[in-house]
Amino acid sequence: MLVDVVLPNLGFGMEEGQLLAWLKAPGDAVRKGEPLVEIEGDKTTVELEALADGVLEEQLVAAGMTVPVGSVLARIRGEGAESPAAEQTKAPVATPPAATTAKANTTVEAAPTRSAPGRLRVPPALRRLAREHGIDLEELAASAPGGRITRDLLEDRIAAREPAQETGDGREAVALSTMRQIIARRLTQGMQEMPQFFVRAELDFSAALRALPQGVGVNALLLWLTVQALREVPAFNATFEDGTLWRHKGIDLAQAVALPDGLLTPVLRDAGSDTLEGLAKRSRDLVARARAGRLRPEEMQGGSFTLSNLGVVDQVDEFTAIINPPQIGILAVGALRDRPVVIDGGLHVRSTARLTLSADHRFVDGMLAAEFLAALDRHLQACGA
């Protein structure tokens, strides 16, 4: 049996992707879940994994080509399958769509691919940055200490090769990365199409912070509280797609992760099934892989709600986040700070944070937004009880 390796939709309205490098060569044995190929979408780079055990039968798209979502990139001959000749006798393979729909201006060199052992290992995020600025990574590695390419080394090379384009009036032109262009397009769409409104609250975290288990931080607590609020007010656990409002049964919680050249919102699938400690562990892993450019395709799309936490920056008291379509809500959290609070007529100092819920007024109203923040606060205070 031949198993197709297909270019998936990596989210953010992706229509096509570029094949950066093959990690396996034809004839190589592959195991299910093993990385096969590096693909760049609109906002990130991912490694596509094998869906079956077997042998990489053929590559249908060469490194450097840009092809539409749904194109067949390669085929895997499953374990125990008949020989390739027998397979072809039974069912001749048609020319894949990828071969005819690649960009006309893409130049493809008929160079042999290399499997992982002989390949320069560079994090996908750095590989993308180098490509955007025309940096030859092989050349850079030859001059790097120990052949190791770091972000500082790459940025120094970019700065040396690309002096600021000054206009003579104190300005300089700045090229937008692909990620920044996609962010601009998506969030502009959100602001233009959605009548967004914003509800703010200041919540007391003092008791909950003292009760946090070892190894669990504030971000994990916020994720868990958001899940509980979505359970009580499920109207926010929804997306609006192609004219239909979809209420989600499971909670697929996206969290904003800052990168040097933009922002990703990787998704914690079925976050409602996790304990506080479980969410903390999964979140740390997801953030680390997002920053290393090693997210799986399914982790980059399909979120039903987003949490954006800027509390790591002490100077940010509060902020407003823009909803990322097709979601209808996003929660923005500022820094925890010791602030004066009046309790029972007395002045006290408490660790508080200011939260802003952005909501799409087409589908939710102010009272629902207030109920969401109230539910979040109830669970917050229960944590410290």
Side-chain angles (χ1 to χ4, degrees):
M1 178 182 67
L2 292 178
V3 178
D4 289 344
V5 179
V6 177
L7 176 64
N9 186 334
L10 303 179
F12 314 107
M14 173 178 164
E15 297 180 354
E16 60 187 14
Q18 183 180 21
L19 195 157
L20 301 182
W22 283 103
L23 307 180
K24 291 286 186 179
D28 286 352
V30 298
R31 308 299 297 179
K32 183 177 181 180
E34 187 175 17
L36 288 179
V37 58
E38 277 188 358
I39 297 291
E40 182 181 56
D42 289 333
K43 288 185 67 174
T44 192
T45 301
V46 300
E47 292 180 345
L48 298 188
E49 300 175 349
L51 299 178
D53 296 340
V55 174
L56 186 60
E57 181 69 22
E58 58 181 337
Q59 296 171 351
L60 302 175
V61 178
M65 290 187 71
T66 298
V67 295
V69 168
S71 298
V72 179
L73 308 179
R75 291 190 171 97
I76 297 171
R77 176 160 45 88
E79 288 186 346
E82 297 183 37
S83 66
E87 290 279 0
Q88 292 173 2
T89 299
K90 289 185 175 182
V93 177
T95 301
T100 59
T101 54
K103 281 186 175 178
N105 61 355
T106 299
T107 301
V108 181
E109 298 182 0
T113 59
R114 288 187 295 169
S115 58
R119 181 172 168 270
L120 181 64
R121 300 302 295 174
V122 179
L126 297 190
R127 190 177 293 278
R128 181 177 66 249
L129 183 61
R131 188 170 55 260
E132 289 175 350
H133 293 274
I135 302 297
D136 186 330
L137 290 177
E138 296 282 356
E139 176 189 344
L140 184 60
S143 61
R148 181 171 177 265
I149 296 176
T150 64
R151 178 171 288 278
D152 288 343
L153 182 66
L154 178 56
E155 290 179 345
D156 287 346
R157 175 63 64 89
I158 291 171
R161 287 191 53 182
E162 300 181 7
Q165 300 179 28
E166 296 186 358
T167 63
D169 57 359
R171 300 180 300 165
E172 62 182 49
V174 179
L176 294 180
S177 67
T178 301
M179 182 179 293
R180 285 254 63 99
Q181 293 177 46
I182 295 299
I183 291 172
R185 177 171 59 83
R186 294 288 291 167
L187 296 187
T188 298
Q189 174 191 352
M191 288 299 289
Q192 289 177 340
E193 295 181 357
M194 294 184 192
Q196 299 188 33
F197 71 99
F198 316 100
V199 179
R200 296 175 174 82
E202 183 173 345
L203 305 185
D204 185 352
F205 282 72
S206 304
L209 293 177
R210 292 191 294 268
L212 280 181
Q214 184 70 25
V216 175
V218 174
N219 191 68
L221 174 61
L222 289 167
L223 290 168
W224 187 82
L225 292 171
T226 301
V227 167
Q228 309 317 308
L230 288 171
R231 279 175 166 166
E232 288 197 24
V233 190
F236 281 95
N237 192 42
T239 53
F240 183 65
E241 305 171 63
D242 298 324
T244 300
L245 179 65
W246 298 94
R247 184 76 53 80
H248 295 251
K249 293 181 179 179
I251 297 174
D252 295 327
L253 184 57
Q255 57 178 330
V257 177
L259 301 178
D261 55 346
L263 185 75
L264 286 179
T265 53
V267 179
L268 287 162
R269 294 288 177 195
D270 196 19
S273 65
D274 270 321
T275 63
L276 175 58
E277 292 86 348
L279 272 180
K281 182 177 180 181
R282 287 181 60 195
S283 174
R284 285 194 298 269
D285 172 68
L286 195 67
V287 170
R289 288 189 291 107
R291 289 175 175 160
R294 307 190 75 84
L295 290 172
R296 295 186 292 273
E298 65 271 16
E299 294 171 325
M300 298 171 54
Q301 57 184 318
S304 55
F305 188 87
T306 297
L307 170 69
S308 182
N309 176 22
L310 279 182
V312 294
V313 182
D314 290 339
Q315 291 76 14
V316 178
D317 274 339
E318 61 183 281
F319 71 105
T320 300
I322 299 173
I323 300 170
N324 184 27
Q327 296 172 23
I328 66 168
I330 184 171
L331 181 65
V333 183
L336 272 170
R337 205 181 290 285
D338 288 341
R339 297 183 174 95
V341 177
V342 176
I343 303 175
D344 296 330
L347 189 62
H348 302 262
V349 176
R350 290 287 189 269
S351 293
T352 70
R354 292 169 178 165
L355 288 67
T356 302
L357 177 63
S358 304
D360 187 338
H361 220 323
R362 293 175 298 178
F363 312 112
V364 289
D365 298 316
M367 184 55 70
L368 278 175
E371 289 176 3
F372 179 94
L373 292 172
L376 194 148
D377 189 38
R378 280 195 301 276
H379 287 281
L380 173 63
Q381 303 316 317
C383 287

